Amino acid sequence: MTINQWPQFPEPYWREHLQFPSFQSLEEDITTDVTIIGGGISGITAGYLLSLQGVNVTIIEAGNILNGTTGHTTAKVTAQHGIIYDEFINHFGEEKAKLYYQASDSAREFIKQTVQELTINCDFEEHDAYIYTNSEKELSKLEKEATAYEKLGILGGLVDSMPLTKLPMIKALVMRGQAQFHPLKYLVPLTESIIKNGGQIFEQTTAVDIEEGTNPKVITRNGKTITSNQVICCSHYPFKDTAGFYFARMYQERSYIVAVKSDEPYPGGMYISAETPTRSVRTTPMGNDNLLLLSGEGHKTGHGINTMEHYEALATFGKEVLGVTDIQYRWSAQDIYTLDKMPYIGHYTSGSDNIYLATGYRKWGMTNGTAAGIILSDLITKGSNPYAELFSPSRFHADPDIKRFVEHNADVAYQLVKGKIGMNFKHPEEVSVGEGAHVKINGEKCGAYRDENGQLHVVNSTCTHMGCEVEWNDGERTWDCPCHGSRFTINGDVIEGPAEIPLKKVDF
Ligand SMILES: Cc1cc2nc3c(=O)[nH]c(=O)nc-3n(C[C@H](O)[C@H](O)[C@H](O)COP(=O)(O)OP(=O)(O)OC[C@H]3O[C@@H](n4cnc5c(N)ncnc54)[C@H](O)[C@@H]3O)c2cc1C
Ligand code: FES
């Protein structure tokens, strides 16, 4: 298949051939022990653990469960989160860096044990994880990271060769005994267990507000409410981001995946490059064949103009480096970065005792999201967890937060100004089939996309979150906001927040 023949709105491999339970939307006011907003790995893991302990949980999901970032991941289950431990030792100290490693490694172990206990058939396989480099410049970073591994007692170190010999490298840093799985085959049984334990799940049910109090009340888009003792917000981007100033403390980054058929036996291992643009490789079984999942090309959402080029770059990598060309799937997704790279897991704000959130996994949410589920379920049932302080969203570290805070918000300010004075507009008639472009209609700034039938879909291009101008994403055919990463369909509907309100449709 050539790139031009790829499906326009591809489904990720994970969702193919899988039986999904489906759930009704919420149609009446209800009461429960704990309300969980969001049906991704964090929400489902928290719900699973709470329901095992007899807590009555209700999960509400804006769309369909497991179809957010969790349904579009690469699903390496590892504590090797890129080159991070040397940086964490420098910024947080050795003790906290070690805690981070332990939280991630316990999450990996939790997944392994859960797979065994529930006999889940989810292609769970143990592999060593490698960060490899072919550049002298990155080598010194890898050496420092290897020293960090030694200090923290992480099993692994620098090696001169890797099982997948086709990847060009001068050195690699291995972390032994990591894993990979099929994320949805793993999470569907957990979902079934929640229902078996008396929990409830509602799909097509969007939380729009939380009334705080002794018994917080979640208000949904159709006006129905859920009253509970605690609320956990696992909506990926916190759906109420002004409380806690999350919009100023986080940004979203997209990455791309191509799944390519390979006839050769896979030698084992999971790989990620030290240099950027990132090149990540793992395998997954597809019938009698192997698929190689090649991912990377990350960029801030709304900043990767001509996003098809990112898929093409991965396809070229597959062809030239690994000798694979038979592309079966492609998809992309985004994840959230906090300013100090540590997830936010804990109380929503320092003043909210019974409202929690979990976010900011920096593309390592299989372990971080699992850790979040464990931590939040412990906070609710036991009142404490050894990692709670480390991940507390109320923490503040002068370095590097302040520098990144300034950089992030300066970029948002730049995007806002650029959107007001630096835009190029086409005449609507000039927008060709399959193209999205900025146009002006009656003086209003708009985004226009012309579909295969020649029909123009026009929306007001000013993001309903905080007023930046959305950019066209030609790979996914969506309007993406460069400020905080909201995404909209060609007709303006919200695909991903923080925006809650659709872009206004403009008649043309
Ligand atoms: C390309 C890519 C590759 C990755 N690869 C890896 C990897 O190899 N290993 C790894 O560990 N991690 C990886 N990650 C990261 C990982 O996939 C994510 O961190 C994780 O899936 C996030 O899970 P979540 O539960 O927080 O969010 P999601 O899975 O996005 O779930 C949140 C849910 O909340 C719902 N929601 C949102 N707003 C509302 C609302 N108002 N009301 C109700 N519901 C709402 C959404 O519809 C969504 O279903 C990758 C990420 C990307 C983008
Ligand atoms: S997402 Fe914040 S302005 Fe668009």
Side-chain angles (χ1 to χ4, degrees):
M1 208 188 277
T2 67
I3 282 177
N4 289 336
Q5 293 168 320
W6 287 351
Q8 190 173 322
F9 299 108
E11 280 285 301
Y13 167 68
W14 311 123
R15 296 192 70 81
E16 292 256 312
H17 318 300
L18 208 60
Q19 288 291 321
F20 277 94
S22 74
F23 302 95
Q24 307 286 318
S25 57
L26 181 69
E27 297 298 341
E28 57 180 355
D29 296 346
I30 60 167
T31 302
T32 184
D33 290 342
V34 177
T35 307
I36 298 174
I37 302 168
I41 190 164
S42 328
I44 298 292
T45 308
Y48 168 69
L49 286 169
L50 286 165
S51 71
L52 274 186
Q53 295 170 81
V55 178
N56 186 252
V57 294
T58 298
I59 298 179
I60 57 168
E61 163 55 51
N64 294 108
I65 59 162
L66 306 177
N67 198 22
T69 305
T70 301
H72 295 73
T73 182
T74 312
K76 294 177 180 172
V77 182
T78 177
Q80 189 181 63
H81 295 174
I83 298 181
I84 196 66
Y85 290 105
D86 178 54
E87 187 177 330
F88 276 179
I89 289 174
N90 289 329
H91 291 149
F92 298 101
E94 208 167 302
E95 198 184 324
K96 287 190 170 161
K98 190 163 194 160
L99 273 179
Y100 180 87
Y101 168 69
Q102 286 170 345
S104 306
D105 201 50
S106 315
R108 178 198 56 73
E109 192 57 32
F110 171 87
I111 291 174
K112 180 178 170 183
Q113 281 178 12
T114 307
V115 168
Q116 284 166 358
E117 277 164 25
L118 304 186
T119 48
I120 302 176
N121 181 3
C122 60
D123 309 325
F124 182 91
E125 285 176 8
E126 291 192 308
H127 288 267
D128 293 337
Y130 295 85
I131 306 173
Y132 66 97
T133 185
N134 205 25
S135 128
E136 291 293 340
K137 194 166 142 246
E138 299 299 322
L139 185 55
S140 69
K141 285 192 205 157
L142 221 50
E143 285 166 347
K144 284 187 192 149
E145 188 74 352
T147 308
Y149 277 28
E150 265 174 50
K151 285 185 187 161
L152 302 179
I154 299 174
L155 191 60
L158 286 176
V159 291
D160 295 320
S161 65
M162 309 184 296
L164 190 55
T165 50
K166 286 181 177 172
L167 290 173
M169 53 90 77
I170 47 176
K171 276 271 188 253
L173 178 63
V174 63
M175 190 181 279
R176 302 287 179 199
Q178 304 304 294
Q180 62 184 31
F181 66 173
H182 186 305
L184 305 197
K185 284 188 190 170
Y186 166 73
L187 286 163
V188 167
L190 267 56
T191 308
E192 288 163 353
S193 174
I194 294 171
I195 300 297
K196 207 174 91 203
N197 294 331
Q200 299 187 83
I201 299 178
F202 297 98
E203 294 186 317
Q204 316 303 331
T205 301
T206 307
V208 292
D209 207 353
I210 306 176
E211 276 176 23
E212 296 193 35
T214 319
N215 294 110
K217 193 183 270 190
V218 174
I219 323 280
T220 65
R221 179 147 291 148
N222 68 357
K224 302 301 172 208
T225 62
I226 311 172
T227 307
S228 49
N229 300 324
Q230 286 97 3
V231 176
I232 302 179
C233 182
C234 294
S235 58
H236 200 229
Y237 204 102
F239 81 100
K240 284 277 149 208
D241 64 342
T242 41
F245 284 94
Y246 288 105
F247 65 88
R249 303 203 279 151
M250 306 193 310
Y251 62 90
Q252 306 208 56
E253 204 181 280
R254 290 196 78 69
S255 280
Y256 300 79
I257 302 182
V258 297
V260 200
K261 210 160 120 183
S262 166
D263 300 329
E264 289 182 21
Y266 189 73
M270 305 183 298
Y271 305 89
I272 191 162
S273 61
E275 43 271 54
T276 53
T278 305
R279 295 287 176 263
S280 154
V281 182
R282 66 159 281 195
T283 185
T284 191
M286 184 184 70
N288 295 328
D289 297 310
N290 274 330
L291 278 183
L292 291 182
L293 301 187
L294 314 178
S295 56
E297 291 284 311
H299 62 79
K300 271 178 106 172
T301 303
H303 292 232
I305 312 299
N306 195 356
T307 54
M308 280 307 277
E309 281 179 5
H310 298 292
Y311 287 115
E312 284 162 16
L314 290 174
T316 304
F317 167 71
K319 184 175 173 191
E320 291 181 355
V321 177
L322 300 168
V324 287
T325 53
D326 188 357
I327 293 169
Q328 301 276 318
Y329 303 87
R330 68 155 172 118
W331 67 90
S332 76
Q334 63 196 39
D335 210 19
I336 296 170
Y337 285 61
T338 65
L339 297 180
D340 61 9
K341 302 190 181 173
M342 193 70 85
Y344 295 139
I345 304 167
H347 293 283
Y348 212 104
T349 62
S350 50
S352 52
D353 287 344
N354 47 12
I355 305 177
Y356 302 86
L357 99 162
T359 187
Y361 305 148
R362 209 175 48 88
K363 297 188 191 149
W364 297 108
M366 296 300 104
T367 40
N368 277 332
T370 301
I374 298 168
I375 293 167
L376 295 178
S377 115
D378 275 359
L379 286 180
I380 286 174
T381 55
K382 301 180 193 152
S384 67
N385 174 281
Y387 307 115
E389 194 192 326
L390 177 72
F391 293 117
S392 166
S394 308
R395 68 178 181 267
F396 194 80
H397 298 276
D399 179 24
D401 296 32
I402 287 179
K403 187 165 165 276
R404 295 217 182 95
F405 179 88
V406 172
E407 276 170 10
H408 168 58
N409 289 294
D411 180 53
V412 169
Y414 167 74
Q415 296 297 338
L416 257 170
V417 173
K418 189 177 126 210
K420 303 306 160 207
I421 57 174
M423 289 172 77
N424 294 319
F425 296 99
K426 278 195 160 182
H427 190 278
E429 298 303 333
E430 292 168 355
V431 180
S432 45
V433 169
E435 187 188 10
H438 288 115
V439 298
K440 263 198 176 165
I441 291 174
N442 299 330
E444 195 175 347
K445 282 183 210 140
C446 296
Y449 166 70
R450 194 177 296 284
D451 68 21
E452 293 72 20
N453 302 321
Q455 193 196 335
L456 208 56
H457 299 253
V458 187
V459 290
N460 183 306
S461 59
T462 304
C463 178
T464 55
H465 178 232
M466 289 187 178
C468 293
E469 296 301 316
V470 294
E471 296 286 349
W472 180 241
N473 171 344
D474 64 346
E476 266 52 53
R477 308 209 174 172
T478 56
W479 293 103
D480 296 358
C481 182
C483 286
H484 310 100
S486 294
R487 299 181 58 235
F488 304 87
T489 65
I490 51 169
N491 293 319
D493 294 329
V494 178
I495 303 171
E496 287 180 75
E500 292 169 30
I501 301 167
L503 298 175
K504 193 181 91 188
K505 276 184 94 165
V506 176
D507 289 333
F508 176 70

